[in-house]
Amino acid sequence: MKNLLEERKEEEQNDNNKAFDSKPKTLWSEAWKRLKRDKLALLGGAIVLIMIIVATFARQIAPFDPNVQFNNGTTAYGMPLPLDTHSKKIVATRKDTSKEFTVKSSIIFTDKNGGITFRTVGNTRVKSGMDKIEFPVSAISLKEAKAPSGVEMTTNDKISKYFDSMTLVNDKYFVLGTDPSGRDSLSRLIWGSQVSLKVGILAIGVATIIGVIFGLISGYFGGWTDLVIMRFTDVMMSMPDLLLVMALVSVIPSKGDQSSQGIGIIIFSIGIVTWTGIARMVRSQVFTVKEMEYVEAAKAAGSKDPRILFFHLMPNVIAPVIVIGTMSIAGAIMTEAALSFLGFGVKPPTSSWGSMVNEGLGFFRDAPWVPIIPGAAIAIAVFAFNLFGDGVRDAIDPKLK
């Protein structure tokens, strides 16, 4: 009997120690626990994290400069190269190296059976002393662009008498093919992620700052201040976001570096158009929070209005702001893609997913991968941010689920 009592006391003592040592549960710790249990949110977060890594290290990851146009990066008639394709060149050898001549553009080369046809691109000068010459060629058709390496080629042009052998070999490798200008699609896709993420995150950052400030002021002071701010908010919400952003991008002048200035204007324009939802949400939260006892105590202690707004009210309304901001990034990415698709986005040759879709529309029938790949990238990015945003919302406030 004594042993049982002692064991019981030890168990109670251990329970008390655990209760004493346990850390207090906070909103963020509980939200993190709930978020870790949401598999779809973790999937969305993983995709977002991969996109951020790819965009950050685009210079190291991209196989080519996204703006370089390879002269043999399309077919002879300007069609983009297919997926998983090498551009081609001809390696010619000769024993007599005394002659100097030029391999001119548009010379036709075929294999011995006449089933593979390529055409030279640009002029290549052959100098004396050169026993091995390489010159780029383009396939006549998309099917021939997949021709194997190592095929012996012939030509009816007079240059054939100067060479002992002419072999078709692989040149540059394009995993996702090329665009209509002969640029590597994978490199442009990787660099385009920088524009989409930069615009999405920074534009919503601008919108959050504006919305939080207006929402705090409107909800705290009320009266005419609230009336004026909310009527201005209603006017902004009555205008189509995309049309308003297009108007702002068109009228704001761009100076200096066109690419960086253009991105900055797009970020600013989207930010000052999309703050309204955040402002209304913060205002409704402030109406509740400002009646709390700690706010009254701060007023009684002589705290000024700015201190009450930013040190007492804002920390207690920031959780829903994070939720709305996370979910709004997807909309900002869509808006930037739409602007670039319509020609109001970043200026060429800067890579953007929306402009890549626009460039590939004319080739949708014969080369559908050109517009589909950047379109799929936009869809995946938006899907990932929506999944992650939903997970954050459910984690912070499970009652909204």
Side-chain angles (χ1 to χ4, degrees), residues 255-394:
K255 299 178 182 179
D257 183 2
Q258 292 292 318
S259 60
S260 61
Q261 289 290 327
I263 293 175
I265 292 173
I266 293 171
I267 291 171
F268 175 75
S269 300
I270 295 176
I272 64 174
V273 167
T274 56
W275 57 269
T276 52
I278 297 174
R280 293 177 72 90
M281 185 276 300
V282 171
R283 169 180 174 268
S284 65
Q285 293 288 316
V286 170
F287 276 144
T288 302
V289 175
K290 73 177 183 179
E291 303 298 333
M292 297 293 183
E293 293 180 356
Y294 66 86
V295 177
E296 297 297 330
K299 291 180 181 179
S303 296
K304 302 294 184 182
D305 289 336
R307 181 174 180 83
I308 294 174
L309 285 172
F310 294 105
F311 289 91
H312 297 283
L313 293 179
M314 190 173 73
N316 290 281
V317 301
I318 202 65
V321 171
I322 294 175
V323 173
I324 291 183
T326 304
M327 300 183 69
S328 299
I329 292 175
I333 291 175
M334 285 288 290
T335 301
E336 185 279 325
L339 289 174
S340 297
F341 178 81
L342 297 172
F344 291 88
V346 293
K347 304 303 179 184
T350 304
S351 177
S352 169
W353 290 345
S355 61
M356 290 176 68
V357 174
N358 186 14
E359 292 167 358
L361 278 183
F363 299 86
F364 191 83
R365 176 176 295 180
D366 298 314
W369 60 87
V370 179
I372 286 177
I373 290 175
I378 296 171
I380 291 172
V382 171
F383 180 66
F385 274 105
N386 280 335
L387 279 182
F388 186 63
D390 285 342
V392 171
R393 179 198 62 191
D394 296 339

Side-chain angles (χ1 to χ4, degrees), residues 8-39:
R8 181 61 179 169
K9 289 181 179 180
E10 289 179 0
E11 290 177 0
E12 291 178 353
Q13 184 65 34
N14 291 333
D15 291 339
N16 292 334
N17 291 338
K18 289 180 180 179
F20 181 78
D21 294 336
S22 61
K23 296 181 180 179
K25 296 180 179 180
T26 64
L27 169 66
W28 301 111
S29 64
E30 290 299 300
W32 173 241
K33 289 180 181 178
R34 286 190 287 267
L35 184 63
K36 287 191 295 183
R37 292 194 295 266
D38 191 335
K39 303 301 182 184

Side-chain angles (χ1 to χ4, degrees), residues 212-221 282 286 309-310 313-314 317:
V212 168
I213 292 174
F214 279 167
L216 287 173
I217 294 174
S218 178
Y220 180 71
F221 291 104
V282 171
V286 170
L309 285 172
F310 294 105
L313 293 179
M314 190 173 73
V317 301

Side-chain angles (χ1 to χ4, degrees), residues 42-43 49 156 252 267 301 305:
L42 292 179
L43 173 62
L49 180 60
N156 293 327
I252 298 176
I267 291 171
D305 289 336

Side-chain angles (χ1 to χ4, degrees), residues 233-250:
T233 303
D234 292 339
V235 171
M236 292 290 294
M237 295 182 73
S238 68
M239 300 179 186
D241 288 353
L242 182 59
L243 293 180
L244 190 55
V245 172
M246 288 168 58
L248 290 172
V249 169
S250 300

Side-chain angles (χ1 to χ4, degrees), residues 73-357:
T74 62
T75 66
Y77 296 103
M79 290 295 296
L81 295 183
L83 307 178
D84 187 29
T85 302
H86 288 85
S87 58
K88 294 294 191 291
K89 62 183 178 181
I90 288 180
V91 177
T93 60
R94 60 176 182 163
K95 295 178 181 178
D96 182 5
T97 60
S98 60
K99 300 291 185 179
E100 290 192 4
F101 57 93
T102 299
V103 179
K104 295 184 178 180
S105 180
S106 301
I107 296 177
I108 299 297
F109 287 83
T110 62
D111 65 340
K112 294 180 179 179
N113 298 324
I116 300 174
T117 306
F118 281 79
R119 191 173 71 179
T120 55
V121 182
N123 298 330
T124 303
R125 183 64 181 169
V126 180
K127 299 180 180 180
S128 60
M130 297 174 61
D131 60 350
K132 183 178 180 181
I133 302 93
E134 298 180 356
F135 43 91
V137 291
S138 293
I140 297 298
S141 67
L142 287 174
K143 182 178 179 181
E144 291 167 316
K146 288 282 191 178
S149 179
V151 178
E152 290 295 324
M153 306 295 286
T154 62
T155 180
N156 293 327
D157 192 84
K158 62 182 181 180
I159 65 167
S160 61
K161 63 183 179 181
Y162 299 123
F163 297 121
D164 298 316
S165 68
M166 294 174 289
T167 306
L168 182 71
V169 300
N170 291 332
D171 192 7
K172 304 291 189 301
Y173 177 54
F174 304 109
V175 178
L176 299 181
T178 60
D179 70 358
S181 298
R183 299 171 294 195
D184 178 44
S185 293
L186 176 60
S187 298
R188 293 187 62 76
L189 194 73
I190 291 172
W191 280 91
S193 65
Q194 280 193 343
V195 174
S196 295
L197 287 179
K198 186 183 295 183
V199 171
I201 295 173
L202 294 183
I204 297 306
V206 172
T208 300
I209 293 172
I210 298 173
V212 168
I213 292 174
F214 279 167
L216 287 173
I217 294 174
S218 178
Y220 180 71
F221 291 104
W224 282 101
T225 303
D226 177 46
L227 181 65
V228 171
I229 293 178
M230 284 300 102
R231 295 298 75 78
F232 176 64
T233 303
D234 292 339
V235 171
M236 292 290 294
M237 295 182 73
S238 68
M239 300 179 186
D241 288 353
L242 182 59
L243 293 180
L244 190 55
V245 172
M246 288 168 58
L248 290 172
V249 169
S250 300
V251 301
I252 298 176
S254 178
K255 299 178 182 179
D257 183 2
Q258 292 292 318
S259 60
S260 61
Q261 289 290 327
I263 293 175
I265 292 173
I266 293 171
I267 291 171
F268 175 75
S269 300
I270 295 176
I272 64 174
V273 167
T274 56
W275 57 269
T276 52
I278 297 174
R280 293 177 72 90
M281 185 276 300
V282 171
R283 169 180 174 268
S284 65
Q285 293 288 316
V286 170
F287 276 144
T288 302
V289 175
K290 73 177 183 179
E291 303 298 333
M292 297 293 183
E293 293 180 356
Y294 66 86
V295 177
E296 297 297 330
K299 291 180 181 179
S303 296
K304 302 294 184 182
D305 289 336
R307 181 174 180 83
I308 294 174
L309 285 172
F310 294 105
F311 289 91
H312 297 283
L313 293 179
M314 190 173 73
N316 290 281
V317 301
I318 202 65
V321 171
I322 294 175
V323 173
I324 291 183
T326 304
M327 300 183 69
S328 299
I329 292 175
I333 291 175
M334 285 288 290
T335 301
E336 185 279 325
L339 289 174
S340 297
F341 178 81
L342 297 172
F344 291 88
V346 293
K347 304 303 179 184
T350 304
S351 177
S352 169
W353 290 345
S355 61
M356 290 176 68
V357 174

